[in-house]
Amino acid sequence: MRFFLLLFFVPLIADDSFITRFEYAKMLYENPRGVGCHYCHGLKGEGKIIAKYIEKGKKRYLKAPDIRDVEYKRFYKKLNSKKFKSAMPSYFLTRSEIKTLYYYIKMINSEDKR
Ligand code: HEC
């Protein structure tokens, strides 16, 4: 029975058809069991100003960086980090979910050939 269930679910997640995998990836980017990446990094990972403030009379910005060209190793490290001293929240994602997020950012940006 367990084996049967596995056979049933695996194609849902690992389907090679473009739409299914892409849609799953988009869903994960916008709802990664926590605050969606897009709120801070933008819909395509292009980066965004997430707060404006004034410090010592000067206008300052807190920006979530552009993550479109981050290499995988760095991407993985960042998402797997359990250090709580960043403006970015910690996530508890599996290796495969992190890979999917990376794939999503690559896919969505190659599509419109910036
Ligand atoms: C609350 C805002 C916020 C959210 C939500 C957020 N981030 Fe970030 N992220 C940041 C900030 C700010 C930085 C820069 C500071 C740092 O590296 O800790 C950052 C840094 C990163 C970096 C490192 C970039 C580099 O050049 O090294 C990656 C990769 C990244 N985020 C990916 C993601 C992904 C994927 C998600 C969703 C699972 C996400 N972030 C959600 C704010 C956010």
Coordinates of all heavy atoms in Angstrom, one line a residue, residues 29 32 35-37 40-41 50 62-67 70 74-75 78-79 86-89 91 93 101 105, ligand 1:
Y29 N 7.6 29.4 -4.3 CA 8.2 30.7 -4.2 C 7.3 31.7 -3.5 O 7.7 32.5 -2.7 CB 8.5 31.2 -5.6 CG 9.3 32.6 -5.7 CD1 10.6 32.6 -5.3 CD2 8.7 33.8 -6.0 CE1 11.4 33.8 -5.4 CE2 9.4 34.9 -6.0 CZ 10.7 34.9 -5.7 OH 11.5 36.1 -5.7
P32 N 6.3 29.6 0.8 CA 7.3 28.6 1.2 C 7.2 28.2 2.6 O 8.2 28.0 3.3 CB 8.6 29.3 0.9 CG 8.3 30.7 1.1 CD 6.8 30.9 0.8
V35 N 6.9 33.5 5.0 CA 6.6 34.7 4.2 C 7.1 34.4 2.8 O 8.2 34.0 2.5 CB 7.3 35.9 4.7 CG1 7.0 37.1 4.0 CG2 7.1 36.1 6.2
G36 N 6.2 34.7 1.8 CA 6.6 34.4 0.4 C 7.8 35.2 0.0 O 8.0 36.4 0.4
C37 N 8.7 34.6 -0.8 CA 9.9 35.3 -1.3 C 9.6 36.6 -2.0 O 10.3 37.5 -2.0 CB 10.7 34.4 -2.2 SG 10.8 32.6 -1.6
C40 N 9.6 40.3 -0.7 CA 10.8 41.0 -0.5 C 11.7 41.0 -1.8 O 12.3 42.0 -2.1 CB 11.6 40.4 0.6 SG 10.8 40.6 2.2
H41 N 11.8 39.9 -2.5 CA 12.7 39.8 -3.6 C 12.0 40.1 -4.9 O 12.6 40.1 -6.0 CB 13.4 38.5 -3.7 CG 14.3 38.2 -2.5 ND1 15.6 38.8 -2.5 CD2 14.2 37.5 -1.4 CE1 16.1 38.4 -1.3 NE2 15.3 37.6 -0.7
I50 N 12.4 47.1 0.8 CA 11.3 46.6 1.7 C 11.1 47.5 2.8 O 10.0 47.4 3.5 CB 11.6 45.2 2.2 CG1 13.0 45.1 2.8 CG2 11.5 44.1 1.1 CD1 13.4 43.7 3.3
L62 N 16.2 49.7 3.2 CA 16.5 48.3 3.4 C 16.0 47.6 2.2 O 14.9 47.6 1.8 CB 15.8 47.8 4.7 CG 16.0 46.3 5.0 CD1 17.5 46.0 5.2 CD2 15.2 45.8 6.1
K63 N 17.0 47.0 1.5 CA 16.7 46.4 0.2 C 16.9 44.8 0.3 O 17.9 44.4 0.9 CB 17.6 47.0 -0.8 CG 17.1 46.7 -2.2 CD 18.0 47.5 -3.2 CE 17.4 47.3 -4.7 NZ 17.7 46.0 -5.2
A64 N 16.0 44.1 -0.3 CA 16.2 42.7 -0.5 C 16.9 42.6 -1.8 O 16.4 43.1 -2.8 CB 14.9 41.9 -0.5
P65 N 18.1 41.9 -1.9 CA 18.9 41.9 -3.1 C 18.2 41.2 -4.3 O 17.3 40.3 -4.1 CB 20.2 41.2 -2.6 CG 19.8 40.4 -1.5 CD 18.7 41.1 -0.8
D66 N 18.8 41.5 -5.4 CA 18.5 40.8 -6.7 C 19.0 39.3 -6.5 O 20.2 39.2 -6.2 CB 19.2 41.5 -7.8 CG 18.8 40.9 -9.2 OD1 18.5 39.7 -9.3 OD2 19.0 41.7 -10.1
I67 N 18.2 38.3 -6.7 CA 18.7 37.0 -6.5 C 18.6 36.2 -7.8 O 18.7 34.9 -7.8 CB 17.9 36.2 -5.4 CG1 16.4 36.3 -5.6 CG2 18.3 36.7 -4.0 CD1 15.6 35.3 -4.7
V70 N 22.4 34.7 -8.4 CA 23.1 34.1 -7.3 C 23.5 32.6 -7.7 O 22.6 31.9 -8.2 CB 22.3 34.1 -6.0 CG1 23.0 33.4 -4.9 CG2 22.0 35.5 -5.6
R74 N 25.6 29.3 -3.1 CA 25.3 30.4 -2.3 C 23.8 30.5 -1.9 O 23.5 30.8 -0.8 CB 25.8 31.6 -3.0 CG 25.7 32.9 -2.2 CD 26.3 34.0 -3.0 NE 25.9 35.3 -2.4 CZ 26.7 36.3 -2.3 NH1 27.9 36.3 -2.8 NH2 26.3 37.5 -1.8
F75 N 23.0 30.2 -2.9 CA 21.6 30.2 -2.7 C 21.2 29.1 -1.7 O 20.4 29.4 -0.7 CB 20.9 29.8 -4.1 CG 19.5 29.9 -4.1 CD1 18.8 31.1 -4.5 CD2 18.6 28.8 -3.9 CE1 17.5 31.2 -4.5 CE2 17.3 28.9 -4.0 CZ 16.7 30.1 -4.3
K78 N 22.3 30.1 1.9 CA 21.4 31.1 2.4 C 20.1 30.5 2.9 O 19.7 30.9 4.0 CB 21.2 32.2 1.4 CG 20.3 33.3 1.8 CD 21.0 34.2 2.8 CE 20.0 35.0 3.6 NZ 20.6 35.7 4.8
L79 N 19.5 29.7 2.1 CA 18.2 29.2 2.5 C 18.3 28.1 3.6 O 17.3 27.8 4.2 CB 17.5 28.6 1.3 CG 17.0 29.8 0.5 CD1 16.6 29.4 -0.9 CD2 15.8 30.5 1.2
S86 N 19.5 38.0 10.3 CA 19.3 38.7 9.0 C 18.0 39.3 8.9 O 17.1 38.9 9.7 CB 19.5 37.6 7.9 OG 18.9 38.1 6.7
A87 N 17.8 40.2 8.0 CA 16.4 40.8 7.8 C 15.6 39.7 7.1 O 14.3 39.8 7.1 CB 16.5 42.0 7.0
M88 N 16.2 38.7 6.6 CA 15.4 37.7 5.9 C 15.1 36.6 6.9 O 15.9 36.2 7.7 CB 16.3 37.1 4.8 CG 15.6 35.9 4.1 SD 16.4 35.5 2.5 CE 16.2 33.8 2.5
P89 N 13.8 36.1 6.8 CA 13.4 35.1 7.8 C 14.1 33.8 7.5 O 14.6 33.5 6.4 CB 11.9 35.0 7.6 CG 11.6 35.6 6.2 CD 12.7 36.5 6.0
Y91 N 13.9 29.7 6.9 CA 12.9 28.8 6.4 C 13.4 27.4 6.7 O 14.5 27.1 7.0 CB 12.8 28.9 4.9 CG 12.2 30.2 4.4 CD1 13.0 31.4 4.2 CD2 10.8 30.4 4.3 CE1 12.4 32.6 3.8 CE2 10.3 31.6 4.0 CZ 11.1 32.7 3.7 OH 10.5 33.9 3.3
L93 N 13.2 24.4 4.7 CA 12.9 23.8 3.4 C 13.8 22.6 3.2 O 14.9 22.6 3.6 CB 13.1 24.8 2.3 CG 12.2 26.1 2.4 CD1 12.7 27.2 1.5 CD2 10.8 25.7 2.0
L101 N 13.0 26.1 -5.9 CA 13.0 27.6 -5.9 C 14.1 28.2 -6.8 O 13.8 29.2 -7.5 CB 13.3 28.1 -4.4 CG 12.1 27.9 -3.5 CD1 12.5 28.2 -2.0 CD2 10.9 28.8 -3.9
I105 N 13.3 30.6 -10.2 CA 13.9 31.9 -10.5 C 14.6 31.9 -11.8 O 14.5 32.8 -12.6 CB 14.8 32.4 -9.3 CG1 14.0 32.6 -8.1 CG2 15.6 33.6 -9.7 CD1 14.8 32.6 -6.8
Ligands
HEC1 C1 11.3 39.7 4.8 C2 11.9 39.9 3.6 C3 12.5 38.6 2.9 C4 11.9 37.5 2.5 C5 10.4 37.1 2.8 C6 12.9 36.7 1.8 N1 14.1 37.3 1.8 FE1 15.8 36.6 0.9 N2 16.8 38.2 1.6 C7 16.2 39.3 2.3 C8 17.3 40.3 2.6 C9 17.1 41.6 3.4 C10 18.5 39.7 2.2 C11 19.9 40.4 2.3 C12 20.5 40.2 3.6 C13 20.9 38.8 3.9 O1 21.6 38.2 3.0 O2 20.6 38.2 4.9 C14 18.1 38.5 1.5 C15 19.1 37.6 0.9 C16 18.7 36.5 0.2 C17 19.7 35.7 -0.6 C18 21.2 35.9 -0.7 C19 21.5 36.8 -1.8 C20 23.0 36.9 -2.0 O3 23.4 37.7 -2.9 O4 23.8 36.3 -1.3 C21 19.0 34.7 -1.2 C22 19.5 33.6 -2.2 C23 17.6 34.9 -0.8 N3 17.5 36.0 0.0 C24 16.5 34.1 -1.3 C25 15.2 34.1 -0.7 C26 14.2 33.1 -1.0 C27 14.3 32.0 -2.0 C28 13.1 33.5 -0.3 C29 11.8 32.7 -0.1 C30 11.9 31.3 0.4 C31 13.5 34.7 0.5 N4 14.8 35.0 0.2 C32 12.6 35.4 1.3 C33 14.9 39.5 2.6 C34 13.9 38.5 2.4

